[in-house]
Amino acid sequence: LSDIRVEPARDQHMVFARGGPVWPDFDAQTSVRQCRAGKPVDRLPDTAPGDPVILDQPCVWGGQVFRHFGHFVAEFATRLLHSKVKRPHDLYLFQLPPGQELSYVPDFFWHVLAWYGIARDQVRFVTDRPYLVRELWVAPQAEQLPDIAPSAAYLDLLDDLGRLHGSAVAPSQVTYVSRSELHAGHGRQAGEGYLDSCLQKLGIHILHPERETLHRQIQVYASASTLVFSEGSALHGRQLIGRVPQKIQVFNRRKGKRTAQDILAPRCQSIGYTEAVTGELCVLMEDGRPRSQSGLGIFDLDAVFAAFRALGYDLSTVWSQTDYEQALEADLLAWAAFSFRPERNAPTDASLALLREQTASLGLQTFMQRIERIATGQISQNSVRQTRYQG
């Protein structure tokens, strides 16, 4: 398209910022806009003051930079592979959220671009000034949350990309992708570090994505006959490659979720979901809604044991309930210290009332006295240290 004005972001609702290209006949467009489930979710950008910067060289619209790996890969990066194949040498434009500078750009952004073969010197960011782009190209999203699957042609491109990068890791039977080393407030399961240690004793490979380069993560995903994910962003890392003859099992931390099911199913032999928690603990946000994205899941051990038994592994042979409960306690108290930090502005009384209900329903009411002392400052939050099971 010719002479497209690209506006800086002015405001943001959840994941999506208002800004970017002002496409002709904007309301009638679909494929060039940001969509979910086939429907546009972006908004017509406001016109920024001042004269635009003119870009005479051909450009590609890359989309929005967002500091959440799963959303970036699943929502904004799905145009990039087609774009690189069709327009390998163009300049790639990306938008930063309102008021953000280059320091906002996360490392994983560059790693994802490198995977697709887009060099740093091909990238320009739209920050506080509008651009007028003489020639702007845009590819459709190759897949969309929650349920628009990739085409066979797109999977062919991903297969070719995987072969181009090659694989340098030994194949594994089962890999468990854990969230145990994430920060206490980033949505975890209590005691997952202890589960990791037991799985390792049974010969299961444990992957902590935050420890590894993106390339290494992808190599591990491509080498496993069975991938078991603790539900979270790492699932979307599997979107960076195509077909692998493997099974994928997801341990839900949010009951009933089927995250990425339709998107990942064409890439593997089968995908299944285990309701791996009995419930979760969470506090309230300032507006009174549960802060579930940073909740603490409590494992349904019967379901977890059954899932691994179905894969041929008997956790009961290496499991100590005493050690598990110690790990659960350490994670729970660390989560409480994080959740009631003063800067989080959680409504303390209402959050504690909710937690009394939750702990009672989960059989964890013996922890409430300590949670209340942490929340009200009677126990120093700095004195509560997140510990991991050392085995």
Side-chain angles (χ1 to χ4, degrees), residues 166-175 205 207 215-227 238 241 243-247:
S167 177
V169 298
S172 66
Q173 288 297 110
V174 178
T175 290
H205 177 232
L207 176 68
H215 194 176
R216 167 73 180 185
Q217 292 171 48
I218 293 171
Q219 289 177 324
V220 170
Y221 297 156
S223 70
S225 61
T226 299
L227 277 173
R238 182 61 180 81
I241 55 177
R243 306 172 182 92
V244 178
Q246 66 188 181
K247 298 176 181 179

Side-chain angles (χ1 to χ4, degrees), residues 311-334:
L311 296 175
Y313 298 89
D314 187 356
L315 268 168
S316 67
T317 62
V318 294
W319 191 268
S320 163
Q321 189 64 17
T322 299
D323 287 348
Y324 166 69
E325 290 174 0
Q326 290 176 350
L328 182 151
E329 177 180 356
D331 285 349
L332 191 156
L333 297 179

Side-chain angles (χ1 to χ4, degrees), residues 191-268:
E192 189 170 16
Y194 177 68
L195 173 64
D196 293 350
S197 71
C198 290
L199 296 177
Q200 284 180 309
K201 291 176 183 176
L202 294 176
I204 292 174
H205 177 232
I206 307 299
L207 176 68
H208 297 102
E210 59 280 358
R211 282 191 190 179
E212 308 288 352
T213 66
L214 182 63
H215 194 176
R216 167 73 180 185
Q217 292 171 48
I218 293 171
Q219 289 177 324
V220 170
Y221 297 156
S223 70
S225 61
T226 299
L227 277 173
V228 183
F229 285 93
S230 185
E231 181 209 337
S233 288
L235 262 172
H236 298 292
R238 182 61 180 81
Q239 290 181 240
L240 296 171
I241 55 177
R243 306 172 182 92
V244 178
Q246 66 188 181
K247 298 176 181 179
I248 296 176
Q249 193 71 22
V250 182
F251 278 14
N252 277 350
R253 58 188 175 89
R254 298 172 295 177
K255 288 190 174 182
K257 288 289 186 179
R258 294 296 179 264
T259 305
Q261 182 177 45
D262 296 294
I263 288 170
L264 294 184
R267 292 169 157 89
C268 62

Side-chain angles (χ1 to χ4, degrees), residues 126-147:
V126 182
T127 55
D128 58 351
R129 295 187 62 184
Y131 286 84
L132 183 64
V133 186
R134 296 302 187 192
E135 183 181 337
L136 184 62
W137 294 81
V138 59
Q141 292 166 262
E143 48 195 346
Q144 293 176 28
L145 295 179
D147 55 7

Side-chain angles (χ1 to χ4, degrees), residues 110-391:
W110 298 112
H111 299 158
V112 171
L113 264 61
W115 176 254
Y116 287 130
I118 300 169
R120 281 181 178 245
D121 60 9
Q122 290 182 263
V123 174
R124 181 171 295 188
F125 297 104
V126 182
T127 55
D128 58 351
R129 295 187 62 184
Y131 286 84
L132 183 64
V133 186
R134 296 302 187 192
E135 183 181 337
L136 184 62
W137 294 81
V138 59
Q141 292 166 262
E143 48 195 346
Q144 293 176 28
L145 295 179
D147 55 7
I148 294 185
S151 67
Y154 183 63
L155 292 177
D156 289 343
L157 291 179
L158 286 171
D159 290 345
D160 291 341
L161 185 65
R163 285 189 287 269
L164 177 66
H165 284 287
S167 177
V169 298
S172 66
Q173 288 297 110
V174 178
T175 290
Y176 179 69
V177 186
S178 175
R179 293 175 65 85
S180 68
E181 295 195 356
L182 291 180
H183 193 281
H186 286 178
R188 296 175 43 197
Q189 281 70 251
E192 189 170 16
Y194 177 68
L195 173 64
D196 293 350
S197 71
C198 290
L199 296 177
Q200 284 180 309
K201 291 176 183 176
L202 294 176
I204 292 174
H205 177 232
I206 307 299
L207 176 68
H208 297 102
E210 59 280 358
R211 282 191 190 179
E212 308 288 352
T213 66
L214 182 63
H215 194 176
R216 167 73 180 185
Q217 292 171 48
I218 293 171
Q219 289 177 324
V220 170
Y221 297 156
S223 70
S225 61
T226 299
L227 277 173
V228 183
F229 285 93
S230 185
E231 181 209 337
S233 288
L235 262 172
H236 298 292
R238 182 61 180 81
Q239 290 181 240
L240 296 171
I241 55 177
R243 306 172 182 92
V244 178
Q246 66 188 181
K247 298 176 181 179
I248 296 176
Q249 193 71 22
V250 182
F251 278 14
N252 277 350
R253 58 188 175 89
R254 298 172 295 177
K255 288 190 174 182
K257 288 289 186 179
R258 294 296 179 264
T259 305
Q261 182 177 45
D262 296 294
I263 288 170
L264 294 184
R267 292 169 157 89
C268 62
Q269 290 175 325
S270 66
I271 182 168
Y273 293 78
T274 297
E275 301 301 340
V277 300
T278 57
E280 70 170 3
L281 305 178
C282 66
V283 295
L284 300 174
M285 296 186 285
E286 289 181 82
D287 62 7
R289 290 180 297 147
R291 195 185 289 274
S292 58
Q293 69 272 21
S294 58
L296 184 71
I298 306 300
F299 277 125
D300 181 337
L301 293 181
D302 289 341
V304 170
F305 275 49
F308 282 107
R309 194 160 50 244
L311 296 175
Y313 298 89
D314 187 356
L315 268 168
S316 67
T317 62
V318 294
W319 191 268
S320 163
Q321 189 64 17
T322 299
D323 287 348
Y324 166 69
E325 290 174 0
Q326 290 176 350
L328 182 151
E329 177 180 356
D331 285 349
L332 191 156
L333 297 179
W335 171 83
F338 176 85
S339 298
F340 286 101
R341 291 179 305 157
E343 59 267 33
R344 302 221 52 186
N345 295 318
T348 300
D349 291 343
S351 292
L352 288 174
L354 176 63
L355 283 171
R356 289 186 197 101
E357 296 176 6
Q358 293 172 338
T359 54
S361 68
L362 294 168
L364 301 173
Q365 56 267 42
T366 57
F367 294 107
M368 266 313 300
Q369 184 177 8
R370 276 175 290 173
I371 293 174
E372 290 180 7
R373 294 178 67 197
I374 290 170
T376 57
Q378 297 175 59
I379 296 177
S380 168
Q381 293 171 353
N382 291 333
S383 70
V384 181
R385 294 286 183 262
Q386 181 176 346
T387 59
R388 297 188 179 93
Y389 182 76
Q390 299 299 316

